[in-house]
Amino acid sequence: MNGNGRGAEGDHDTDHMEITVTEPLDLTGVRKLGPVVDAVVARRPARLVIDMAACPHVDAAGIGLLLDTHRRMWRLGGALTLRSPSPRIRRLLQVARVDQVFHVVAESDPADTAGSETGSGSGSPRVAGATPVGAPSSATAVPVAPVRARATVPVRAR
């Protein structure tokens, strides 16, 4: 650690890591994704990209996880980038007033994808996990089973 509490440049185990979110970031999704984020942040990447192109919804629990991840990365001297959130999720981040905290980029942003071969343009969404950006698909990953739960609430007519 350097004098300002942030990690020094040489402290990073890897340069770039990526997590692809394929399910809603609600309380159930956060419980599944939290350990993946913990494992990735423990590797102390210089930059963590969370690909949200396939994420259909984010609620308060999801925003809390993203804020906590941003804070942890900043303390380690790294950076968090949210890639390709839907217009609906972008609007939700604006309403929650956290849009100025996160670095959000579009999928086609060349500054974000420079030097990486990994993208979400493969046509099939990946299971949430972590893979070094630009690494072959056989690279070490922290897999998480997709969340496939649906809750229904009965509606009563009065």
Side-chain angles (χ1 to χ4, degrees):
M1 291 284 209
N2 61 19
N4 65 3
R6 298 177 71 187
E9 283 294 317
D11 289 348
H12 301 289
D13 287 345
T14 184
D15 286 338
H16 304 310
M17 297 290 290
E18 182 176 325
I19 299 173
T20 300
V21 180
T22 59
E23 298 295 325
L25 262 182
D26 54 10
L27 187 58
T28 303
V30 166
R31 287 182 182 149
K32 299 276 187 180
L33 189 61
V36 173
V37 170
D38 291 344
V40 170
V41 172
R43 294 185 68 184
R44 302 176 60 93
R47 187 170 126 213
L48 172 59
V49 176
I50 298 182
D51 187 342
M52 300 187 68
C55 180
H57 174 71
V58 175
D59 69 5
I63 290 173
L65 176 70
L66 295 173
L67 284 169
D68 182 59
T69 304
H70 170 77
R71 177 188 52 82
R72 291 168 62 193
M73 288 296 296
W74 184 83
R75 284 186 177 170
L76 294 172
L80 172 68
T81 299
L82 302 182
R83 183 190 310 140
S84 302
S86 68
R88 182 175 180 241
I89 292 175
R90 281 183 183 252
R91 178 69 181 139
L92 181 73
L93 296 174
Q94 289 174 345
V95 169
R97 295 185 166 204
V98 296
D99 59 322
Q100 300 301 313
V101 174
F102 297 121
H103 178 231
V104 181
V105 296
E107 180 177 4
S108 61
D109 188 343
D112 177 55
T113 58
S116 77
E117 299 170 8
T118 304
S120 59
S122 63
S124 61
R126 296 178 298 188
V127 174
T131 307
V133 172
S137 60
S138 62
T140 304
V142 184
V144 172
V147 179
R148 304 216 187 270
R150 222 180 249 180
T152 57
V153 179
V155 177
R156 295 185 201 176
R158 292 186 182 209

